[in-house]
Amino acid sequence: MKLPVYGRALAAGAVAVTTLVAGGTVVGAASASERAASASEHAAVAAAPDVPLANVKAHLTQLQAIATANGGNRAHGRPGYQASLDYVKSKLDAAGFTTTVQRFTASGRTGYNLIADWPGGDANQVVMAGSHLDSVSSGPGINDNGSGSAAVLETALTVARSGHQPTKHLRFAWWGAEELGLVGSRYYVNSLSSANRAKISGYLNFDMIGSPNPGYFVYDDDPTIERTFQDYFAGLGISTEIETEGDGRSDHAPFKNAGVPVGGLFSGADYRKTSAQAAKWGGTVGQPFDRCYHSSCDTTANINDTALNRNSDAIAYAMWELSE
């Protein structure tokens, strides 16, 4: 996740957040229709496809190995980024996706976006999920943003394994040069005609979803997408909060600026967990959500499996729900 210096400097201060009360036990008498709606919601969560945590972690292991073999990072314009893109593309090609590599230039180096389309669905109604694939140059970037990239990849592979054929068209994306200022995603959005931008009914962004001292943050940009994620976490009995730490500073921003409905999930960067947040989610009060943010210690050891698992399944839930 790309955060400006002034944003990082705020990490030691108190963070004002808005708590969204997630569904759980209904207090007082509920009507039969309310009880039926609640039961239906919980059944929908239970029926959502499982994204195997072991598979997501296997992708992270590969991204770590790539970084280790290429100077300790997977940054824009470096061999580790190219190898990361090749790895993801090979998995998608083998699963039957139509993949496109989009080339751009940033800071004097060639960068790449990877776009994968699942055959079928209404091409005039496209639901996208995306994440940035690049790391900073100072580390392997396994939480930031191997976590989002691996979960989006495994969600796409889950689509293929299940033979899912939704009403809308599914598209997945991995962005380059996010850490240099959302360069890859901005290039993609700007390259679209106004007609093709209008065909994207929603873009879902996943940037840091396995933080070791995690929170459960939901983007509040589009109410339908936001509610879809809230419904999922409500079914698990987990309260969420509005995402504020990286608001507008990840790859959803170019889509939002172009008028595309956006949403997403986030587990926290270098802001510090409050006592109220620890009471809801567990973890350590006063410590960053990710103490290894943009550091060399952002390795496979820097991942909370529970958060990664929940957020990965939430991606699949949202993609299934929003594409029908």
Side-chain angles (χ1 to χ4, degrees):
M1 171 172 286
K2 174 65 175 176
L3 290 178
V5 172
Y6 71 82
R8 295 197 294 269
L10 292 174
V15 182
V17 291
T18 303
T19 301
L20 301 176
V21 180
T25 303
V26 178
V27 178
S31 68
S33 61
E34 288 172 333
R35 291 193 298 272
S38 177
S40 175
E41 176 182 291
H42 283 259
V45 172
D50 177 67
V51 175
L53 175 63
N55 292 5
V56 180
K57 293 191 69 177
H59 300 316
L60 293 181
T61 297
Q62 290 299 314
L63 294 177
Q64 176 70 68
I66 287 169
T68 300
N70 290 280
N73 68 74
R74 301 180 301 99
H76 163 74
R78 309 289 181 87
Y81 182 78
Q82 182 67 62
S84 298
L85 184 141
D86 291 344
Y87 171 75
V88 174
K89 185 177 186 298
S90 69
K91 294 290 186 182
L92 295 164
D93 288 340
F97 283 84
T98 299
T99 59
T100 303
V101 176
Q102 185 180 51
R103 179 180 297 187
F104 60 89
T105 301
S107 298
R109 296 173 181 262
T110 301
Y112 303 95
N113 295 324
L114 174 63
I115 313 299
D117 285 274
W118 181 238
D122 184 353
N124 292 313
Q125 299 184 79
V126 179
V127 178
M128 288 189 71
S131 60
H132 75 87
L133 187 57
D134 62 316
S135 73
V136 292
S137 59
S138 57
I142 298 304
N143 187 39
D144 184 15
N145 183 37
S147 61
S149 293
V152 171
L153 172 58
E154 192 56 32
T155 298
L157 298 179
T158 300
V159 168
R161 283 194 300 270
S162 68
H164 187 45
Q165 292 295 332
T167 301
K168 298 178 182 178
H169 181 75
L170 295 180
R171 180 174 298 156
F172 299 86
W174 291 262
W175 309 116
E178 187 270 357
E179 297 291 2
L180 300 185
L182 321 181
V183 179
S185 56
R186 184 178 292 112
Y187 183 85
Y188 173 80
V189 172
N190 289 344
S191 72
L192 295 172
S193 66
S194 57
N196 283 333
R197 283 197 297 270
K199 292 176 182 179
I200 303 174
S201 59
Y203 171 72
L204 314 184
N205 193 62
F206 305 100
D207 189 352
M208 302 180 67
I209 60 169
S211 303
N213 189 27
Y216 292 91
F217 298 99
V218 176
Y219 296 11
D220 66 339
D221 300 279
D222 177 79
T224 299
I225 299 172
E226 179 186 12
R227 186 63 206 171
T228 300
F229 285 122
Q230 289 173 339
D231 287 347
Y232 172 78
F233 285 105
L236 300 180
I238 297 171
S239 295
T240 60
E241 293 184 4
I242 292 173
E243 198 285 292
T244 59
E245 183 177 1
D247 192 21
R249 300 180 189 132
S250 190
D251 292 300
H252 60 293
F255 288 88
K256 182 178 179 179
N257 292 340
V260 175
V262 301
L265 301 174
F266 177 55
S267 57
D270 59 354
Y271 281 14
R272 297 177 183 270
K273 181 172 282 187
T274 67
S275 57
Q277 290 169 333
K280 282 191 298 188
W281 300 324
T284 306
V285 177
Q287 293 298 311
F289 294 100
D290 183 354
R291 64 179 181 81
C292 290
Y293 174 66
H294 282 188
S295 300
S296 60
C297 59
D298 187 10
T299 67
T300 51
N302 191 47
I303 291 290
N304 181 284
D305 285 356
T306 299
L308 183 64
N309 189 33
R310 288 169 172 170
N311 285 318
S312 298
D313 287 341
I315 296 171
Y317 175 78
M319 291 298 283
W320 256 251
E321 289 292 305
L322 294 170
S323 63
E324 291 305 324

